[in-house]
Amino acid sequence: MDRRRFLQTAVAGGAMATGFRSYAEPAFPSRPITMVVAYSPGGGTDTLTRALSKPLAKALGQSVVVENKAGASEIIASEYVAGAKPDGYTLLVCSVPHVTNPSLRTLPYDTVNDFSAVCLAAQSPFVLVVKPDSPIKSLADLVTIAKTRKLSFASSGIGTADHMSTELFCYITGISMTHVPYKGTGPGLVDLMGGHVDIYFANIVGAAPLVKSGKLRAIAVTTEKRSSLLPELPTVQEFTKKPFDVSAWTGILAPAGTPDNVLNTLSKSINSSLRDDSVTSVMATYGAEIVANSPAEFRRFINNEVNKWAEVIKATNIKV
């Protein structure tokens, strides 16, 4: 074989070898996975994610790192994950602001098209609470009184799930109240007890101890089903007779373009890990219920939530 033919053969062989190497990707996962939480350490979403990370690491055979990127109503974390490589190694742990943001803010990413759904992990209700001496003893009382005088309601910020719970209730019942946003659930509950606001559709974790100690009176919960934490309370939907299902949900997304087989592996592993005793005990503390659905089901959920809140935000003229 002459020198030129030898070189051509060598180059061709090298190209084939390179081609085979490019297709022979290691099985997923082959290295640590990072779960980016859109909230600060210590909160409900962070606590649930850290509890989940341990059995998930065991299920996947790789370590799972939890990284907090809080701020800007989940935008910082969402933008970071949207720009990550779509290989399943960087995931976003998000909640309600992810689906209300498109109707409230100009975003550096597309809420629907820049992400791949993995699964909806869990949901927990909000609970309508008032002072013990409040004349509001039922949802019917709330509607009647709100039509005679201007009431005020607390929230943990514009576009948050507790804010949207109240706006949806106002939208369905045809009443209007003054919004008083706070930087978190705690300050809102303090001002409610102090008489500075009239009502609060509060996170059930923060409100339940105050209800059980008699410092607040609970009226109803916002989820479609009654809560295991306060099972005696009716749902808002029982009163409105119209669909009303609002929760502090925790969902997991990946960057758009993540392969289906990777999404399915993640979804199945996360869903099985959610049923680990170490996770269910944390969820019970937060009054959360396991959802554990498929990528396709979570994708439909995201689309429905974006559309639902877009309608409410437009109708009630909510502005940031």
Side-chain angles (χ1 to χ4, degrees):
M1 182 183 296
D2 63 35
R3 179 178 174 78
R4 191 166 72 175
R5 255 184 97 186
F6 173 80
L7 290 173
Q8 288 173 340
T9 303
V11 169
M16 289 178 65
T18 302
F20 282 124
R21 280 199 300 271
S22 67
Y23 286 104
E25 296 292 340
F28 177 86
S30 60
R31 54 188 171 87
I33 291 169
T34 298
M35 301 184 78
V36 180
V37 178
Y39 296 93
S40 301
T45 303
D46 175 73
T47 301
L48 174 58
T49 305
R50 291 182 187 277
L52 174 63
S53 68
K54 296 174 183 177
L56 180 59
K58 185 176 180 180
L60 292 172
Q62 292 290 336
S63 61
V64 176
V65 179
V66 178
E67 185 176 341
N68 299 88
K69 288 188 178 293
S73 191
E74 296 196 5
I75 296 173
I76 293 173
S78 297
E79 183 179 14
Y80 177 82
V81 174
K85 187 177 179 181
D87 53 11
Y89 291 99
T90 305
L91 306 175
L92 173 67
V93 184
C94 62
S95 190
V96 176
H98 188 78
V99 294
T100 60
N101 277 336
S103 299
L104 293 170
R105 300 167 170 89
T106 300
L107 301 174
Y109 53 84
D110 186 300
T111 295
V112 174
N113 296 320
D114 285 347
F115 298 91
S116 296
V118 177
C119 70
L120 179 60
Q123 295 175 305
S124 62
F126 293 92
V127 56
L128 172 59
V129 286
V130 297
K131 286 183 65 180
D133 60 355
S134 170
I136 302 169
K137 296 181 172 61
S138 67
L139 291 171
D141 289 340
L142 172 56
V143 173
T144 299
I145 294 171
K147 288 181 178 179
T148 60
R149 65 182 177 89
K150 195 75 168 181
L151 298 175
S152 60
F153 71 93
S155 85
S156 59
I158 297 172
T160 54
D162 51 3
H163 173 209
M164 301 313 298
S165 296
T166 320
E167 295 287 2
L168 180 59
F169 182 78
C170 291
Y171 179 51
I172 289 176
T173 58
I175 64 174
S176 174
M177 291 187 282
T178 301
H179 180 207
V180 184
Y182 292 86
K183 292 183 177 180
T185 301
L189 289 170
V190 169
D191 266 16
L192 177 65
M193 290 186 289
H196 301 293
V197 288
D198 295 301
I199 70 162
Y200 191 0
F201 278 92
N203 186 301
I204 198 168
V205 180
L210 299 172
V211 170
K212 291 179 178 179
S213 67
K215 293 179 180 178
L216 289 174
R217 182 198 302 138
I219 306 294
V221 294
T222 61
T223 40
E224 191 176 22
K225 298 178 181 179
R226 294 194 178 197
S227 168
S228 58
L229 209 57
L230 296 170
E232 70 281 4
L233 292 182
T235 67
V236 173
Q237 185 167 290
E238 290 174 42
F239 169 74
T240 61
K241 307 301 182 186
K242 296 178 181 179
F244 195 104
D245 187 15
V246 184
S247 65
W249 52 263
T250 300
I252 300 167
L253 298 168
T258 302
D260 287 343
N261 66 304
V262 171
L263 295 174
N264 289 329
T265 296
L266 287 168
S267 182
K268 289 176 182 177
S269 298
I270 291 169
N271 290 344
S272 64
S273 299
L274 284 167
R275 293 176 172 82
D276 188 90
D277 289 344
S278 63
V279 180
T280 56
S281 62
V282 171
M283 291 177 65
T285 303
Y286 283 85
E289 304 286 344
I290 295 174
V291 180
N293 62 13
S294 69
E297 289 169 330
F298 188 33
R299 190 178 304 114
R300 285 194 295 271
F301 176 86
I302 290 286
N303 289 335
N304 291 338
E305 287 285 287
V306 168
N307 293 332
K308 176 176 78 175
W309 293 124
E311 179 183 345
V312 174
I313 290 167
K314 182 178 179 181
T316 54
N317 197 33
I318 301 171
K319 304 290 183 184
V320 175

